[in-house]
Every structure is written in C-alpha cells, then in structure tokens.
Amino acid sequence: MVAFAQLHAQNHKIIELSNVFLYLVRERSMCDTEVACDLFFDLTTRIREHMELVDRELCGRLIAHSEQRVKNTANRFLSGSTEIKRIFAAYVKQWCSQQRHSLTIGDHAAFLQDTEQMMALVMDRIQRETEHLYPLIRQVQGNDKEVA
C-alpha cells in the first residue's frame, strides 16, 4: 500500500531537487559539472518513478471505482500523465545523453527556457495531485494515512 506520507515525501524531494537544479543551471558554466548532471538524472528518475506510482497505484484503482466522477478524475490524471511523459521524454532526449551521463546543451537560453517550462509543468502536476487527487482518494477510501 502507498501511504500519503510517502507520496508527500516524493513530492517534496522532487520540488527541492527542481529548485536546486533550476538555480544551478542558470549559470552556463554549472551545466557541464558532474554535480549538475547527477542532479539532473536523479531528478528525472524521481519524476518518472513518482508518476508511474501515482498512475499505477492511485489512478489505476480509481478507474475501477463505481462512481463515474471518480473514474473521470482518474482518466483526466492518466491523460495528463501521458502528455507530461511525452513532453518529458522529448525534453530529456533533447538535452541529455543518457549513454554519456551528461547534459548536451548547445543553446543555453533555450535549455533554460525548456527546463523552466518542464519544471513548471511538473510542479503544476504535483499541485493538482495534492489538491484534487489525494483528497478524492481520502474521500473514496475514508482513510487519511493509506491511499492504495
């Protein structure tokens, strides 16, 4: 079972890493450091794992619920996840080399703009989870600690 505490801890860590990464890469010379690359790969892994967990454990279970409004909310989150994952995959493909474990930045201004937009998209998703999905699960299951 997935606990709200675990989901909130994941969200907190993603937000923390995103903020540090954004701060770090504003300076072009920092983008080529091992620290920035490690942070990038850790962040992208955490984002993927969190989204997969939410999709599988939360939305997957809500889709089977008897109430249509609950199913609709789960479907909206799953559709949003699909779109975010598509955009995220394109972002990662454009700006990093997984083989060499490095960032591949030819245009720093474009990279920074894409990174800010990507992180804003992730932050928006986390906010929507916290404000809409988690309360729905609490309501449906009547349990404040465990969500699935």
Side-chain angles (χ1 to χ4, degrees):
M1 289 196 197
V2 178
F4 281 108
Q6 179 186 359
L7 294 169
H8 287 299
Q10 286 179 340
N11 285 342
H12 178 76
K13 192 65 171 178
I14 289 168
I15 291 167
E16 182 180 86
L17 292 174
S18 295
N19 289 336
V20 171
F21 185 71
L22 281 169
Y23 182 81
L24 190 64
V25 298
R26 284 191 175 99
E27 176 67 38
R28 174 61 181 104
S29 63
M30 299 307 292
C31 295
D32 297 325
T33 65
E34 185 177 335
V35 171
C37 292
D38 289 346
L39 184 58
F40 177 82
F41 284 99
D42 185 27
L43 177 59
T44 58
T45 298
R46 288 175 186 266
I47 290 169
R48 284 183 185 122
E49 288 173 353
H50 177 76
M51 290 188 66
E52 288 299 323
L53 179 67
V54 169
D55 289 356
R56 182 183 62 248
E57 297 295 325
L58 305 185
C59 294
R61 293 176 190 240
L62 289 176
I63 291 231
H65 196 272
S66 60
E67 287 184 53
Q68 192 59 46
R69 73 173 180 84
V70 173
K71 290 179 184 185
N72 290 345
T73 299
N75 279 322
R76 279 194 305 276
F77 269 90
L78 287 173
S79 294
S81 282
T82 301
E83 186 64 12
I84 292 170
K85 288 175 190 176
R86 183 190 64 74
I87 293 167
F88 194 68
Y91 166 80
V92 169
K93 184 178 179 181
Q94 179 173 357
W95 297 113
C96 84
S97 168
Q98 298 211 10
Q99 221 172 13
R100 292 187 313 236
H101 191 75
S102 65
L103 295 171
T104 55
I105 303 168
D107 181 346
H108 181 254
F111 168 71
L112 190 55
Q113 181 180 2
D114 285 356
T115 300
E116 288 171 346
Q117 289 173 348
M118 189 71 245
M119 294 306 124
L121 189 62
V122 170
M123 295 306 112
D124 182 60
R125 167 60 186 237
I126 289 171
Q127 182 176 353
R128 284 184 286 115
E129 284 177 13
T130 304
E131 293 176 356
H132 301 287
L133 189 62
Y134 302 166
L136 177 63
I137 292 168
R138 283 185 174 113
Q139 178 187 19
V140 167
Q141 293 190 338
N143 187 337
D144 286 347
K145 295 192 186 239
E146 294 180 352
V147 293

